[in-house]
Amino acid sequence: MPIPHQYSQINSVNCAVITVSDTRTFETDMSGKIAQKMLINANHKIIHYEIIKDESFQIKSLLVNLASNKALNVIIFSGGTGISLRDNTYDIISEMLEKTLYGFGEIFRYLSYQEISSRAIASRATAGLYNGKIVFSLPGSQNAVKLGLEKLIIPELTHLVEQINKG
């Protein structure tokens, strides 16, 4: 699939991959491994990878911490976007975003609908800007991570970073 913004002057961006899960470990985090591999294969760099519990204070403090890293361009969370009582990622990230990229969540759910039918309505995937960083929040399943990265994030990543760097 051609990248729409091939004129971008940026070839590579620095990324953080965060898995939000109460049960995954570095050995069992397939979604985190997929995200890292896809980003690296697209010529991007992983400068931070972490697994955190689905606790509001952990999500918030990590986002604040990562956003203060001047070398980092993009923060990708996976997990905690559903509607169970333990799903906190969307709630924290959406309240912290300074600008929301509504099209990301809308298109993600549309693409998910094509794969998983009406179950896509329970996805609260979102994206936007926080402290000069692009933040994506995806569901934690391997298929959701792959879909979001392949169809939406990777094709637009350099363009989005270039846009926020314009000031």
Side-chain angles (χ1 to χ4, degrees):
M1 178 167 120
I3 297 174
H5 300 286
Q6 294 179 348
Y7 59 82
S8 177
Q9 299 299 311
I10 298 172
N11 295 320
S12 179
V13 300
N14 293 331
C15 304
V17 173
I18 309 302
T19 297
V20 180
S21 173
D22 292 334
T23 59
R24 292 192 188 157
T25 65
F26 289 110
E27 294 77 32
T28 63
D29 181 22
M30 294 300 117
S31 295
K33 290 175 185 175
I34 288 169
Q36 291 178 80
K37 182 177 181 181
M38 290 179 75
L39 289 162
I40 290 167
N41 287 346
N43 198 38
H44 302 300
K45 294 178 182 73
I46 308 302
I47 64 171
H48 187 90
Y49 166 61
E50 190 169 341
I51 300 172
I52 62 172
K53 298 286 184 204
D54 201 340
E55 297 288 347
S56 298
F57 70 92
Q58 285 188 2
I59 297 164
K60 185 174 187 172
S61 72
L62 183 59
L63 180 54
V64 169
N65 223 9
L66 289 173
S68 69
N69 182 341
K70 293 188 186 297
L72 189 62
N73 305 108
V74 177
I75 305 166
I76 301 171
F77 286 86
S78 68
T81 62
I83 59 170
S84 81
L85 291 176
R86 290 291 303 150
D87 289 326
N88 295 301
T89 308
Y90 171 83
D91 302 300
I92 297 303
I93 290 176
S94 65
E95 77 179 24
M96 293 179 70
L97 292 177
E98 296 154 352
K99 291 186 179 187
T100 302
L101 300 174
Y102 293 104
F104 175 79
E106 294 163 355
I107 296 170
F108 180 83
R109 281 180 285 282
Y110 169 75
L111 294 171
S112 294
Y113 178 78
Q114 294 176 332
E115 289 188 6
I116 62 171
S117 190
S118 59
R119 288 194 176 184
I121 67 170
S123 169
R124 298 188 300 157
T126 192
L129 302 180
Y130 174 72
N131 196 27
K133 311 299 181 203
I134 301 169
V135 179
F136 294 97
S137 180
L138 293 164
S141 78
Q142 294 175 46
N143 287 343
V145 168
K146 191 180 299 182
L147 175 73
L149 282 161
E150 180 182 322
K151 300 290 186 180
L152 299 171
I153 297 172
I154 290 173
E156 291 299 320
L157 207 48
T158 58
H159 174 70
L160 291 170
V161 170
E162 192 169 70
Q163 291 297 302
I164 62 169
N165 287 342
K166 284 184 178 180

